[in-house]
Amino acid sequence: MTKSDPISRRPGRWTAFAVTAVTAASAVTIALPAPSALADPATPTPTPVAPAVPAAPPATPVPAPPATPVPAPPATPVPAPPVDPNAPPVPAPPPVDPNAPVPPPLDPNAPPAPPTPPALEPGRIPNTAGGFSYLLPAGWVVSDASRLNYGQALLSKQIAPAESGQPAPTASDASVILGRLDLKLFAGAEQDNSKAAVRLGSDMGEFFMPFAGVRINQQSGALQAGDMPGYFSSYEVKFTDTTKPNGQIWAGVVGTSVPNAPRDQRNQRWFVVWLGTAKDPIDPAAAKALAESIRPYTPPPPPEPPPADPNAPVPPPPAAGGRIPLGVPVPVETPVPGMTPGQ
């Protein structure tokens, strides 16, 4: 019996695979159509343009770091001058006196110090005796008031400039008197300023112009000196003697009368009396401005006296009989006791 060859049976399977592959290739060839020469050319697809990218802003310049300052070389110290061996030694401070009196402690109940008065404005003249200040009119000078019967200030009209250090010459027929309206004048008893001004002008006219005549051109009106009310009265005198020029007077009163106030505050009023003639007439505007420039004035307190010298010698006690020994200095008192009027 003949055996079959196992290899001879395999070719049938490989043959089947080959036929299947050929058949599949033919099917692909039939399915794909042949390219045609008359076909339209393909439309090119437009390529999208990328949007422009905005340019970047210029970079901010970065400041360069500050340069480190180079330290200056240290200054060469100036050598101190050599000590003079022959110079006298510096005296030592005096020793503290153990017996010196101890300053008294501050009294907590002591009244406060009075306030310092404000400084006067430029051109304002204080009058300590009368307790007021005023503004000097242009062309007038302050004169000696020691011979006045009434008032504490006297003004004179300057008629020429001063020369060679001498006082300026002044007019003899014009003057101004200012002062406190106290009870030395009859007008001081009038509490109403309008009545006081009329009385003051009448009395002063008779005092300075004691001649027969007639009063003419009489005028009056109100004044306001800061917060102080006032009043003025003026007139002329036509003298019977025609050789005399007409006399003129302007009297003003400012302030307030308080009868029930303390004595030093009872009559806070001041007056102005301006005298003139027809040849040297009164300036009513200047007179009013002078009266309205008056302000109360309080002088600053005097400086405190220096402390007593603890090393001053103690005066010896008086000898028997109340007399001081011969050769011992005696302090002088002013005024001298026993020589004051009324003692």
Side-chain angles (χ1 to χ4, degrees):
M1 181 174 200
T2 304
K3 295 182 182 180
S4 58
D5 189 2
I7 300 174
S8 62
R9 296 178 183 178
R10 299 281 180 93
R13 184 179 299 180
W14 288 106
T15 301
F17 285 150
V19 173
T20 303
V22 173
T23 303
S26 299
V28 172
T29 302
I30 295 173
L32 293 176
S36 174
L38 301 178
D40 295 333
T43 303
T45 304
T47 304
V49 180
V53 180
T60 304
V62 179
T68 304
V70 179
T76 304
V78 179
V83 180
D84 185 4
N86 299 324
V90 178
V96 179
D97 185 5
N99 299 324
V102 180
L106 297 178
D107 184 5
N109 300 323
T116 303
L120 297 176
E121 62 182 296
R124 180 166 291 276
I125 299 177
N127 187 283
T128 304
F132 68 99
S133 65
Y134 59 94
L135 295 176
L136 186 67
W140 290 73
V141 294
V142 181
S143 299
D144 182 16
S146 60
R147 297 184 179 181
L148 286 178
N149 294 321
Y150 308 103
Q152 291 81 33
L154 174 64
L155 308 182
S156 300
K157 188 175 182 179
Q158 184 176 349
I159 58 177
E163 295 181 357
S164 304
Q166 298 296 325
T170 57
S172 60
D173 55 353
S175 59
V176 177
I177 303 172
L178 303 93
R180 183 184 291 275
L181 186 65
D182 50 24
L183 295 180
K184 292 181 180 179
L185 296 167
F186 291 116
E190 299 287 352
Q191 299 182 12
D192 183 83
N193 285 340
S194 61
K195 295 181 180 180
V198 172
R199 181 65 183 269
L200 178 67
S202 178
D203 293 347
M204 287 295 187
E206 294 179 0
F207 182 82
F208 289 103
M209 297 180 290
F211 308 106
V214 179
R215 296 180 183 181
I216 60 175
N217 299 331
Q218 300 188 29
Q219 297 181 2
S220 60
L223 299 173
Q224 190 65 39
D227 57 352
M228 299 185 300
Y231 203 84
F232 78 90
S233 174
S234 65
Y235 61 88
E236 292 186 30
V237 177
K238 186 177 181 180
F239 299 111
T240 304
D241 186 357
T242 57
T243 61
K244 295 180 180 294
N246 289 357
Q248 298 180 355
I249 186 169
W250 189 99
V253 175
V254 296
T256 305
S257 176
V258 185
N260 298 327
R263 186 177 183 85
D264 57 342
Q265 302 177 5
R266 188 170 301 172
N267 197 8
Q268 295 294 312
R269 292 191 296 176
W270 294 269
F271 72 86
V272 174
V273 173
W274 193 310
L275 302 171
T277 64
K279 292 183 178 180
D280 199 349
I282 296 174
D283 184 354
K288 181 179 180 181
L290 174 60
E292 292 183 338
S293 72
I294 292 178
R295 299 290 186 274
Y297 173 72
T298 302
E304 296 182 0
D309 185 3
N311 299 323
V314 179
R323 295 183 179 181
I324 299 178
L326 186 64
V328 177
V330 180
V332 178
E333 298 181 7
T334 303
V336 180
M339 298 185 66
T340 304
Q343 291 187 355

